Amino acid sequence: MVSLQKMICLAKESRFDALDQGASPGIDLSKLYALGDATKHDVCVSSATTRVVSGLDRLGDVTRAGVCHSFSHDGRCVSMFKTLFTNECSHQCAYCSNSTVCTSSKEVYCYEPQELANIMLQLYRGNYVEGLFLSSGIGKDEDRTMERMLEATRLLREKHHFAGYVHLKILPGTDRDHVGQAMEFADRVSVNIEVPSSDHMSLMSPTKDYRNDILRRQRYVQRLARKKGLPAGQTTQLVVGGAGESDMEIFGSMVREYREYDLKRVYFSAFLPVEGTPLETTVPQPKWREHRLYQLDWLYRVYHMPPDELRLAFDAEDRLCNNDPKATIAKETITEPLDPNEASYDQLLRVPGIGQVSAKRIVSARRTKRFSTRKELHYLGVRLKRANPYLKVGGWQESLLERWMK
Ligand code: SF4
């Protein structure tokens, strides 16, 4: 990931000189920094790790502003220029530095559509990015701001013939026609639901109408996508733990988003208090909570495990523990060690240490042979340290299974 500081250095060194020399005006680096940095709570890719990344030269932090990465519809990893269009906002979200209730002083910036298109093209030509992730504060009015975001994207697509990846944020409450236009220009669009219910929304963002501003816009996207298509689909983001929501509530919301709105991905962002906001003294949520939700998302979305089975990963208070949910569920459901020569693909997939690839390899290999040692499974990619207690191979099983499971 290229940090904003690095981008600014690049800009100072040479990469943006061409803009000054050409017809385009020079770049306001404070604006570039402020609007890039303001996207750090907007997630467009999963963290996939619980490691805390800190320090100026940190690598691998997906929330960091500047250039981030996402996956296009064909599975390719795309580096993207991630920025807000403006950090002005008329909403009162209790967790956001752009909201009207945030008391910290900040400079308000806004791009001109052509200015943003120029920066994007410069970064693209410099080979730093392949795509654009464009989000925004509401400005004074969601439709006016959305129009200007659309104009920037239209300039990129029609005037400059930019055919790269574009992820556009649909602002809450945006007019239906604007949603349609956004879907013509973008590969992926997203409306952030942020919280699992209207009640949570009234705590976190009292000026937003959960059903009308958020869910109805998601429905617009879904209907248009079914008619006309949307290459990389619709996504959303949930803040984890800002409004006291339980993991089960977040999970329920995730399932609803996939089932009822055809979402391609649901992203999670562990709540972090921002100075000057009404929630500045609220306890930050551990990164592992976000990570465990991503693991659960994987089991639902990729393994197609039913919600009822996944609910076994939660405790009596609807929380996830800091453990792999697959292992927690396996302890509940796999009561007898499985023979890899007999177990079905679905049964194998539920064994910790066996993923889709190794389960397929086992099923394929046993057409011509029988497994008699654990080493043979190891060669097929099974992580024996995790899988051993759940397997019976060559008549042998771990004698301590029951004790180990306690
Ligand atoms: S609508 Fe978005 S930018 Fe505006 S205050 Fe809420 S979270 Fe922040």
Side-chain angles (χ1 to χ4, degrees), residues 179-406:
V179 175
Q181 282 170 35
M183 291 172 69
E184 274 171 33
F185 294 134
D187 299 272
R188 166 169 283 182
V189 297
S190 52
V191 190
N192 283 356
I193 60 169
E194 311 286 17
V195 287
S197 72
S198 306
D199 289 346
H200 293 106
M201 182 62 91
S202 54
L203 284 175
M204 291 284 268
S205 306
T207 48
K208 281 191 215 159
D209 181 331
Y210 191 64
R211 292 192 184 285
N212 185 52
D213 292 345
I214 312 290
L215 299 184
R216 181 170 288 176
R217 313 297 135 176
Q218 288 192 314
R219 188 70 77 203
Y220 291 164
V221 175
Q222 179 193 36
R223 287 187 183 142
L224 284 168
R226 281 184 179 177
K227 260 196 224 159
K228 298 182 177 177
L230 181 65
Q234 175 177 200
T235 64
T236 194
Q237 173 186 314
L238 280 146
V239 180
V240 178
E245 55 279 84
S246 67
D247 294 320
M248 182 72 95
E249 286 172 316
I250 295 172
F251 169 71
S253 180
M254 178 198 93
V255 171
R256 184 192 64 205
E257 288 289 307
Y258 285 125
R259 283 188 169 175
E260 295 181 23
Y261 295 90
D262 302 346
L263 268 274
K264 192 83 172 177
R265 283 299 307 269
V266 175
Y267 294 110
F268 307 102
S269 175
F271 171 77
L272 268 181
V274 175
E275 206 184 317
T277 61
L279 298 184
E280 70 177 348
T281 55
T282 304
V283 185
Q285 293 302 302
K287 199 78 179 156
W288 66 254
R289 213 177 145 192
E290 177 186 310
H291 181 59
R292 299 304 173 197
L293 282 162
Y294 275 124
Q295 288 181 313
L296 210 61
D297 170 273
W298 182 265
L299 296 178
Y300 178 76
R301 190 168 47 84
V302 182
Y303 283 19
H304 305 296
M305 285 169 69
D308 280 349
E309 189 177 351
L310 293 173
R311 285 193 186 97
L312 296 172
F314 294 86
D315 67 13
E317 268 121 46
D318 291 345
R319 292 175 308 202
L320 288 169
C321 61
N322 187 12
N323 235 336
D324 180 1
K326 182 172 168 178
T328 309
I329 295 167
K331 283 180 190 177
E332 296 284 327
T333 54
I334 306 179
T335 48
E336 289 290 325
L338 298 167
D339 182 345
N341 294 299
E342 310 294 338
S344 68
Y345 171 79
D346 279 349
Q347 284 176 312
L348 289 169
L349 202 54
R350 281 158 171 75
V351 174
I354 298 182
Q356 282 182 307
V357 173
S358 44
K360 276 183 196 154
R361 284 179 185 158
I362 291 170
V363 172
S364 163
R366 74 190 185 195
R367 289 196 194 111
T368 52
K369 61 177 276 191
R370 279 187 70 80
F371 298 106
S372 52
T373 67
R374 287 169 196 264
K375 227 176 191 171
E376 292 168 274
L377 297 172
H378 168 70
Y379 292 140
L380 296 181
V382 175
R383 292 166 68 190
L384 288 178
K385 208 171 163 194
R386 302 189 66 212
N388 266 339
Y390 299 97
L391 296 176
K392 182 169 70 177
V393 188
W396 292 90
Q397 67 185 67
E398 297 242 333
S399 60
L400 298 179
L401 176 60
E402 239 170 67
R403 256 195 279 162
W404 181 88
M405 284 165 67
K406 277 180 188 166

Side-chain angles (χ1 to χ4, degrees), residues 89-93 95-96 98-99 136-138 172 194 205 208:
C89 193
S90 52
H91 276 300
Q92 297 175 3
C93 305
Y95 52 91
C96 176
N98 300 327
S99 85
S136 186
I138 299 293
E194 311 286 17
S205 306
K208 281 191 215 159

Side-chain angles (χ1 to χ4, degrees), residues 106-172:
K106 70 166 192 309
E107 196 86 39
V108 172
Y109 293 101
C110 184
Y111 281 118
E112 289 301 320
Q114 185 64 65
E115 180 189 14
L116 179 62
N118 286 342
I119 294 173
M120 175 59 207
L121 290 170
Q122 200 59 45
L123 287 168
Y124 182 79
R125 289 187 182 124
N127 227 2
Y128 294 108
V129 299
E130 297 163 274
L132 171 69
F133 174 91
L134 183 58
S135 183
S136 186
I138 299 293
K140 290 193 175 53
D141 166 84
E142 61 272 5
D143 284 320
R144 176 77 189 118
T145 306
M146 197 76 222
E147 270 167 27
R148 288 159 64 75
M149 291 165 71
L150 288 170
E151 176 60 8
T153 326
R154 189 195 66 76
L155 287 167
L156 276 173
R157 291 289 196 223
E158 293 177 359
K159 181 175 170 192
H160 302 289
H161 308 290
F162 175 71
Y165 183 84
V166 173
H167 178 162
L168 262 185
K169 191 69 69 182
I170 305 279
L171 301 183

